[in-house]
Amino acid sequence: MVAVAFFSEVDDPEDWRRALGAVLPEAEFRVAPALGDPAEIEAAMVWKPPAGFFAPMRKLKLVVNLGAGVDSLVGRDDLPPVPIARLNDPGMVQLMTSYVVFAVTRYARDIHHFERAQRRGAWEYRHPRALDRIRVGVLGLGELGGPAAQALAGMGYSVTGWSRSPKSIPGVRWEGSLDAVLAESEILVALVPLTPDTRGLIGAREFGLLPRGAKLVNACRGPVVDEAALLVALSDGTLEAATLDVFNQEPLPEGHPLWRMENVLITPHLASITVPDSAARDVAESIRRVLRGEPPLHQVDPGRGY
């Protein structure tokens, strides 16, 4: 038997218990806080565990992150230098792609204007534009951003992607200059991991480089965007609108200015979630590999943050 600890405030532990048990029957699945003797834990499946969570796990050999971003696992003083594995989950990719396609298409087809017109009881016609005339910039072309950019390109949008290393994605033009991508993007999609390099990546200067009246979709991490600059840009017309799934503080506090903005669509950090049935096999394989002294699947470089 191998003792596996589980902690997440948003994932259903029973779904994971069932899915992991089907592919790793030797797992003894322990859900925090009922972990028994933590010194027996050899693998931990977590999403944003509290401070000190790993400290008593003296036999820990692997941490599996249950979401896309590993920022909550980097720089901790309670986590020994064990491998961290991210999930390579087709279900997560599909959900993120569907969210990005929805958000971009809502703006491309002027649905946000029709929503406001309906509230006024107004028949407000806007002539549709051909999708290949609509320029979409995708920041981050990794496990989630790459498929989302490719899906948009497959629909006919003019898509430019930015990442620190060159990427070859069908239908997507890669651009290594962030400023160049910003200057041409009337809809900007942020899908970069949160790292020291991407914290505050989009601020007042970057908003100023966008075509006036651009739209923003942030489905990665709140601190990638300077929140104060975002509020100004949404108020002065620099940005026409934004779809926001992530925030500096979550849940978004009651009374926050973003709640009152008619040009903002807020969703509660659910653009993409892990689907246990499609991810459990990789988790099981990573645990088996680490117990054999091998690297896990999809290992994260903590120094890079992804």
Side-chain angles (χ1 to χ4, degrees):
M1 299 295 288
V2 53
V4 179
F6 180 93
F7 178 88
S8 173
E9 294 181 333
V10 296
D11 297 280
D12 186 337
E14 295 311 310
D15 284 350
W16 270 108
R17 186 193 303 275
R18 174 186 51 77
L20 188 64
V23 292
L24 191 71
E26 64 269 34
E28 184 183 327
F29 194 81
R30 305 180 184 183
V31 180
L35 295 179
D37 182 358
E40 299 172 348
I41 300 295
E42 295 184 80
M45 303 168 56
V46 299
W47 178 244
K48 296 186 176 181
F53 179 78
F54 300 107
M57 299 180 186
R58 295 191 294 273
K59 290 178 63 178
L60 188 67
K61 297 180 177 68
L62 172 69
V63 174
V64 177
N65 192 54
L66 294 175
V70 298
D71 45 282
S72 69
L73 299 177
V74 175
R76 298 176 64 112
D77 59 10
D78 64 331
L79 183 59
V82 300
I84 299 172
R86 60 174 173 77
L87 294 177
N88 186 25
D89 174 11
M92 181 188 295
V93 172
Q94 291 166 354
L95 285 170
M96 179 60 80
T97 297
S98 73
Y99 185 93
V100 171
V101 167
F102 153 76
V104 170
T105 301
R106 178 171 172 264
Y107 292 132
R109 295 302 311 273
D110 292 319
I111 302 302
H112 60 305
H113 289 294
F114 302 140
E115 290 167 345
R116 296 177 203 169
Q118 180 178 340
R119 290 194 287 270
R120 300 194 307 271
W123 183 276
E124 187 178 279
Y125 182 85
R126 286 176 177 253
H127 199 70
R129 295 169 60 200
L131 296 189
D132 63 1
R133 301 290 299 277
I134 297 173
R135 297 164 299 163
V136 182
V138 178
L139 307 185
L141 296 175
E143 296 295 327
L144 297 178
Q150 185 172 351
L152 292 169
M155 294 177 66
Y157 292 103
S158 176
V159 182
T160 301
W162 174 83
S163 60
R164 297 197 183 279
S165 56
K167 296 293 175 73
S168 178
I169 298 173
V172 178
R173 181 173 66 85
W174 177 79
E175 171 59 68
S177 166
L178 175 61
D179 287 3
V181 175
L182 295 172
E184 66 179 39
S185 299
E186 55 186 287
I187 303 175
L188 184 69
V189 181
L191 287 174
V192 297
L194 179 60
T195 70
D197 289 337
T198 63
R199 185 176 293 273
L201 180 70
I202 307 300
R205 187 191 77 86
E206 288 74 26
F207 284 130
L209 294 174
L210 291 165
R212 186 164 181 81
K215 293 88 173 173
L216 171 69
V217 178
N218 188 7
C220 54
R221 285 291 183 273
V224 167
V225 176
D226 182 315
E227 193 172 271
L230 173 64
L231 290 168
V232 172
L234 286 166
S235 298
D236 68 9
T238 300
L239 284 178
E240 180 186 325
T243 297
L244 306 175
D245 187 56
V246 289
F247 306 89
N248 283 352
Q249 182 180 344
E250 297 178 2
L252 188 65
E254 182 180 353
H256 193 285
L258 286 169
W259 285 118
R260 301 192 299 272
M261 291 187 159
E262 192 179 52
N263 57 345
V264 175
L265 175 63
I266 291 171
T267 57
H269 202 149
L270 46 62
S272 180
I273 62 168
T274 304
V275 180
D277 287 336
S278 61
R281 191 170 300 278
D282 273 8
V283 174
E285 177 62 17
S286 286
I287 292 173
R288 290 190 174 115
R289 288 187 179 203
V290 167
L291 293 178
R292 294 196 301 261
E294 302 169 6
L297 297 173
H298 322 304
Q299 186 168 350
V300 170
D301 179 348
R304 299 174 68 185
Y306 57 92

